[in-house]
Amino acid sequence: MPTELLSFPDDFVWGAATSAYQIEGAWNEGGKGESIWDRFCHTPGNIADGSSGDVACDHYHRWREDIALMRELGLRAYRFSISWPRALPKGYGKANQAGLDFYDRLVDGLLEAGIEPFPTLYHWDLPQRLQDEGGWFERATAEAFVEYAGVAGRCLGDRVRHWVTHNEPWATAMMGHQVGLHAPGVKDYPTALAVSHHVLLSHGWAVPELRRESPGAEVGIALSLVPLVPGSSDTARYPAYRKFDGYFNRWFLDPLYGRGYPADLVDDHVEAWRLPADGLAFIEPGDLDAIAVPTDFLGVNYYFPVLMRSEDIPGSESEPMMLLMPEDGFEYTDMHTMVYPDGLRQLLNRLHYEYHPGKMYITENAASHSDDPGTDGRVPDERRLSYLREHLAAAHRALENGVPLAGYFAWSLMDNFEWSFGYTQRFGIVWTDYDTQRRILKDSALWYRRVIAENRVRIEN
Ligand code: FCB
């Protein structure tokens, strides 16, 4: 079989990603405040296996070993998130020095290991106190976020060169406030819209704050974005495509890139949800300028496309819905999401030609497959390995098309707490034994180590 070698640019950033609630544990240690995910998990019925992130991967206590693991993999960068209630237990006011010290040591440890830290300020664990005061529905939460960005910036800004403000505002807004499968478990679309606006606004306000406290650092945001793919029996009409694209992608991209909220969606929202004519009154003068603040990069989280078969879904003409339907001829992950590597190329090309971000990082990409260690102790996760390889090949094709792609972060460094799925889904390139906290490099991790060392991907044709 001929082997094709896909070389990446010399300065390409190879990384892996995690988030605080999914790995840290120590939910009530070291002065940390309660987060909405603590509350959500401690409320029976919300998590598939009844579990929580109380202990998770115990990274709060094992961060040194975890950095050693990253070093073993040769990672050039590590994307993690800061737990807001660990830094500021109430969300504002008095900072928690012990919590800040944890991230201070983590960043020093990473730099000593030659690994670039990419902290994300918000990966969904809002301080419960702020939720009690209305959460992201309230503009005051965006103001508190700026205070938090300042605290994080003053603590780490002298060493951190890359900041991500928010992880997946779509998920914060829609999973948390429309669908209700994520904390805080609200199910109300108009609320979700206000939340999306306040999250974007908080991003816009936090960027200058981070620039002040961390001069010269790159600042960006990570969005969950989906290419729309016609199903084989597709008769989906153009308006349906536009609606879904608006719901997942344009509602976030357009304001961030200075175009304001898409007019077609504003009209739809007002009509479909019978909002008063001033239904989007949470948008105040000056907000759109704030949201459109120039950033240094766009973070792209890509997992799967959305398959369009809207004719099958009653009511889908008026209400956006998530379609994850099995379709013959495609591979599916354990989470029933479609494996569609070329979607990544399509998405990156589209972002490049339509929104022109100066730089992009793939801030998350991965598949859930629950392969366990065999008797020889190895974890042969061939499907994950092939997923990563094919997606990197797609990213390479985008690079060849001229897309300014600067790096790739595999989700996740290790198996961890997968939100409402609890521990039923394994996304890591490193296997986590939750009883002993032993970590084992899966075959995909060993493969990724070689990719990083050689700065290229081998494809057997
Ligand atoms: C993304 C999240 C991340 C993880 C992966 C599987 O949407 O950002 O925390 O849960 O999905």
Side-chain angles (χ1 to χ4, degrees):
M1 269 195 303
T3 303
E4 203 186 338
L5 297 175
L6 307 177
S7 295
F8 283 74
D10 288 343
D11 55 354
F12 197 75
V13 176
W14 295 105
T18 63
S19 84
Y21 188 72
Q22 294 179 276
I23 65 163
E24 282 181 5
W27 76 281
N28 59 357
E29 286 179 50
K32 178 180 162 295
E34 187 188 18
S35 81
I36 55 172
W37 271 94
D38 295 317
R39 179 71 63 91
F40 193 67
C41 294
H42 294 159
T43 307
N46 286 332
I47 308 299
D49 57 2
S51 66
S52 72
D54 286 3
V55 178
C57 304
D58 197 28
H59 171 77
Y60 184 74
H61 297 115
R62 293 167 196 266
W63 60 274
R64 285 188 189 79
E65 293 94 303
D66 289 334
I67 291 178
L69 204 64
M70 295 179 217
R71 199 204 276 263
E72 205 182 324
L73 284 169
L75 291 189
R76 306 260 195 273
Y78 173 52
R79 176 174 174 240
F80 60 97
S81 79
I82 298 172
S83 157
W84 185 348
R86 207 181 277 295
L88 286 154
K90 285 196 319 192
Y92 53 87
K94 199 168 167 347
N96 172 34
Q97 197 52 48
L100 293 174
D101 288 347
F102 169 71
Y103 297 108
D104 197 51
R105 287 192 293 266
L106 179 69
V107 163
D108 280 345
L110 289 166
L111 291 172
E112 272 162 34
I115 301 166
E116 268 299 313
F118 276 61
T120 299
L121 290 180
Y122 190 73
H123 203 125
W124 308 349
D125 45 355
L126 186 76
Q128 181 62 42
R129 169 68 176 259
L130 279 176
Q131 186 61 41
D132 296 342
E133 295 171 12
W136 286 112
F137 183 70
E138 294 295 334
R139 216 173 154 85
T141 296
E143 284 158 16
F145 183 75
V146 183
E147 188 181 329
Y148 161 48
V151 168
R154 277 187 289 285
C155 175
L156 307 173
D158 55 336
R159 285 151 293 155
V160 164
R161 303 290 80 205
H162 304 84
W163 293 92
V164 178
T165 53
H166 278 270
N167 181 67
E168 302 190 354
W170 178 86
T172 303
M174 304 307 171
M175 294 299 286
H177 301 82
Q178 178 201 5
V179 186
L181 283 175
H182 282 186
V186 173
K187 293 182 187 155
D188 182 61
Y189 196 62
T191 300
L193 290 179
V195 165
S196 67
H197 180 65
H198 294 142
V199 167
L200 290 175
L201 187 60
S202 75
H203 155 82
W205 284 344
V207 170
E209 185 72 9
L210 286 170
R211 292 205 194 288
R212 206 166 16 251
E213 302 297 347
S214 192
E218 288 188 351
V219 185
I221 187 167
L223 301 183
S224 48
L225 296 167
V226 288
L228 300 176
V229 178
S232 60
S233 67
D234 176 61
T235 58
R237 286 130 309 225
Y238 180 73
Y241 273 76
R242 257 191 92 66
K243 192 184 297 282
F244 279 75
D245 184 45
Y247 172 67
F248 287 111
N249 303 320
R250 289 185 291 124
W251 186 255
F252 300 90
L253 285 164
D254 280 15
L256 286 169
Y257 286 91
R259 302 176 185 182
Y261 289 106
D264 58 323
L265 285 161
V266 172
D267 290 349
D268 275 5
H269 288 146
V270 169
E271 198 186 322
W273 298 93
R274 292 180 203 86
L275 302 181
D278 67 347
L280 304 184
F282 47 77
I283 306 172
E284 295 189 10
D287 285 4
L288 292 173
D289 286 341
I291 294 172
V293 63
T295 49
D296 300 291
F297 65 88
L298 174 65
V300 177
N301 292 4
Y302 173 69
Y303 288 88
F304 49 80
V306 164
L307 195 63
M308 293 294 305
R309 284 208 309 209
S310 60
E311 77 280 7
D312 296 345
I313 311 291
S316 68
E317 287 293 303
S318 62
E319 290 188 23
M321 290 174 55
M322 181 87 150
L323 303 186
L324 295 172
M325 312 183 90
E327 177 88 344
D328 289 346
F330 285 98
E331 205 190 312
Y332 284 80
T333 67
D334 284 2
M335 231 177 177
H336 311 296
T337 56
M338 187 202 265
V339 178
Y340 189 67
D342 198 53
L344 181 57
R345 182 194 61 84
Q346 295 170 17
L347 180 61
L348 292 170
N349 278 353
R350 181 226 179 151
L351 293 168
H352 177 48
Y353 292 114
E354 221 175 299
Y355 295 95
H356 324 292
K359 198 186 254 196
M360 287 188 263
Y361 293 97
I362 296 165
T363 33
E364 289 180 28
N365 174 239
S368 165
H369 288 296
S370 294
D371 301 299
D372 290 328
T375 43
D376 58 358
R378 269 185 47 212
V379 185
D381 59 336
E382 182 48 46
R383 289 170 302 171
R384 174 173 299 96
L385 193 159
S386 123
Y387 180 101
L388 296 177
R389 187 182 50 218
E390 296 311 317
H391 282 76
L392 279 172
H396 192 269
R397 288 197 294 279
L399 270 168
E400 285 177 338
N401 293 148
V403 169
L405 181 65
Y408 175 91
F409 291 78
W411 180 272
S412 174
L413 174 64
M414 54 193 150
D415 296 335
N416 56 44
F417 176 79
E418 181 48 34
W419 310 113
S420 55
F421 293 90
Y423 296 98
T424 64
Q425 304 292 324
R426 290 182 178 268
F427 273 94
I429 54 173
V430 172
W431 195 81
T432 306
D433 182 333
Y434 295 110
D435 295 330
T436 62
Q437 291 298 348
R438 202 169 140 228
R439 327 266 200 239
I440 303 174
L441 302 193
K442 300 182 188 177
D443 282 1
S444 58
L446 301 174
W447 169 85
Y448 193 44
R449 175 164 72 184
R450 184 164 170 197
V451 167
I452 298 173
E454 297 181 345
N455 204 33
R456 65 189 183 193
V457 174
R458 286 165 185 271
I459 306 281
E460 312 289 341
N461 283 312

